Amino acid sequence: MKNKQIKIALKNCGKIDPERIKDYIAVDGYKALGSCLSEKMPGDVIDIIKSSGLRGRGGGGFPTGKKWEIASKFDADQKYVICNADEGDPGAFMDRSILEGDPHSVIEAMTICGYATGATEGYVYIRAEYPLAIKRLLIAIGQAKEVGLLGKNILNSGFDFEIGLKYGAGAFVCGEETALIASMEGKRGNPVNKPPYPVECGYKGKPSNVNNVETFANIPKIINKGASWFSSIGTEGSKGTKVFALAGKVKNVGLVEVPMGTTLRELIFDIGGGIVNGKKFKAAQTGGPSGGCLTEKHLDTRIDYESLKACGSMMGSGGMIVMDEDDCMVAIAEFYLGFTVEESCGKCVPCREGNYVLHEILKKITHGEGTLEDLDKLKNISEVVKATSLCGLGQTSPNPVLSTLSNFYDEYYDHVVNKKCAAKKCRSLLTYSIIEENCIGCLQCKRVCPADAISGELKEKHVIDPEACIKCGACVSKCKFNAIVVE
Amino acid sequence: MSCGEHNFREKLTEICREFNNDPNELISILHKAQGEFGFLPQKVQETIANIIKIPSSRIYGVVTFYSYFTMEPKGKYPISICTGTACYVKGAEKVLEAFEEKLNIKNGQTTSDGKFSMSSLRCVGACGLAPVVMVGDKIYGSVNADQVEKILSEYD
């Protein structure tokens, strides 16, 4: 069933040697750039991208051609093309794969973008955590320069374009355009109010067109095959394909590229092969820390920008973490908020304080101290943080809380009222006890207990003191007689 | 820092010159300096500030903002445990606890002999191998808590 995939952005990954420009040229590489420079006016290029219907693949989904058009209209002595390769969503790695497997496609696309928008300088803002991608990009830039596909007077067209690298230093918020630009300028990655948007006032105060790696990787193919070919793939509002990073409790993990409009079921069960160890599917988290959890009832939703939003999640960069019955959704929400609290830049109050409070309440709940009132608080604070935060980080960070609250309210209820965690993830809510008829009194569990919470002599029934038990689980893994039960 | 005061300033001057003493290039300068010295103590920050003529408070602000930069020396073998979502749902937390227990340090600390340091990071983009642990540049995939001792023994 893997033939449901259509590869556009990932077309060359794994098929060509990314360190040889000849390999890329042999598969029509730089043909699109050649045709743009020799046969098309910048406006024609923008029209093609506009009518292809391509939208930003980094998460926002803004129409790419429209962005290019706006950037092209500003008059400035210098404009910039910026490739956002700060792939910070945990669980997403398509940008890394494209940069490692097909770096020339991004270089070609950035050059085309420079020609279309009137920029002569480009930068790739890339995570320092991706050393191989950096190495291959540098090799590719060097090779493109050597053969005259980058630099002065490209292909004798009179068009100049240079590409440099800027390194990230581990800050999730730098995926946000204005924070990314601050970071490029050697500052803390604090976002600023929009407008003005970077297309008007960006890097060094000049118009800067920022696109994501996957977005760029689509460009040469659209120019070569035509806008109508691209727009024939996908759904009404979302054209082309999307790369998803399948991870978590699914059999086939890795990158898949499918037409927009593919259902979650096809993705997880046909392509992904279903859930590992014969467990039951519980949720798929899309869009990283800004996204939400989709459940069984969403399995047949056709995935595109709008439908995911309608389900309370978002496309995001395409990370898809599959979870099974052993995952606790309250703990997942706590995990994401922990991430947000760490990554919030601290500039605006709702994000800095609101997310902190949300995280504290979630911690309280997973530690068995939550109340029903806390659930209302979670919802209210989430809505305020969403509505009043400065940038995309805070505007979306409560999504994991809201979507788990609405899709898994029973689980929250179980935690605060019955003080139970059905997935057995929340340690404070578990009790360990010994089943008398199974226990032979072998002392194994008693010896391994770090808290001396188990009493009983050799060949006597053992007993766990619930007050002293730290719920580490060491005894369970030692007991050979299934005599310890966790509830 | 093993090199003398003089050498150390000279090295930083060289690094800054490579980036035209341009404050816009501060992050690249810091990457290079950390690559050279292993960490970015106050002294290094003040010297860079002096060379590229910006307040050292701005450099401190940048160093503390980005998780990649550190003001503490790392161990000879830095251990990074990925706690991205994919690794989390596959049990990264248990692996992290096992390292803490075996090394008798908390996440973020360095062992007293300077041999190992521990940190968690968010996603190395190898989610197919979750949970992932890195020791230096070496990547260990599908790690479980029971393997921790064996991994550490490779560095005896």
Side-chain angles (χ1 to χ4, degrees), chain A residues 170-244:
Chain A
F172 175 68
V173 70
C174 288
E176 201 275 344
E177 289 184 339
T178 62
L180 182 149
I181 287 165
S183 180
M184 282 177 64
E185 293 169 345
K187 298 177 195 147
R188 288 165 71 93
N190 285 338
V192 292
N193 265 322
K194 293 187 276 191
Y197 288 89
V199 279
E200 183 183 351
C201 176
Y203 182 54
K204 294 184 177 170
K206 306 289 182 190
S208 306
N209 181 88
V210 187
N211 286 131
N212 152 277
V213 174
E214 190 187 334
T215 314
F216 275 128
N218 278 292
I219 301 286
K221 289 96 179 180
I222 293 173
I223 303 280
N224 285 337
K225 292 184 146 185
S228 53
W229 161 77
F230 190 80
S231 64
S232 70
I233 305 164
T235 64
E236 184 62 34
S238 307
K239 301 299 186 192
T241 56
K242 177 76 193 92
V243 181
F244 287 98

Side-chain angles (χ1 to χ4, degrees), chain A residues 134-153:
Chain A
I134 292 171
K135 179 184 154 212
R136 294 205 168 143
L137 256 178
L138 288 172
I139 292 173
I141 290 170
Q143 289 174 342
K145 273 188 175 168
E146 224 168 81
V147 296
L149 289 162
L150 202 59
K152 294 260 175 253
N153 192 18

Side-chain angles (χ1 to χ4, degrees), chain A residues 2 34 41 52 59-60 90 137 158-159 167 180 198 200 219 244 255 266 306-307 351 380 395 399 406 447 456 468 472:
Chain A
K2 286 189 186 173
M41 298 298 288
S52 74
L137 256 178
F159 175 65
Y167 303 108
L180 182 149
E200 183 183 351
I219 301 286
F244 287 98
L255 295 181
E266 288 170 318
E306 277 70 32
S307 66
C351 177
N380 289 340
Q395 286 159 14
N399 284 352
S406 80
R447 281 197 198 112
C472 65

Side-chain angles (χ1 to χ4, degrees), chain B residues 76-89:
Chain B
K76 186 176 173 201
Y77 304 108
I79 301 169
S80 310
I81 297 139
C82 181
T83 50
T85 326
C87 289
Y88 171 80
V89 300

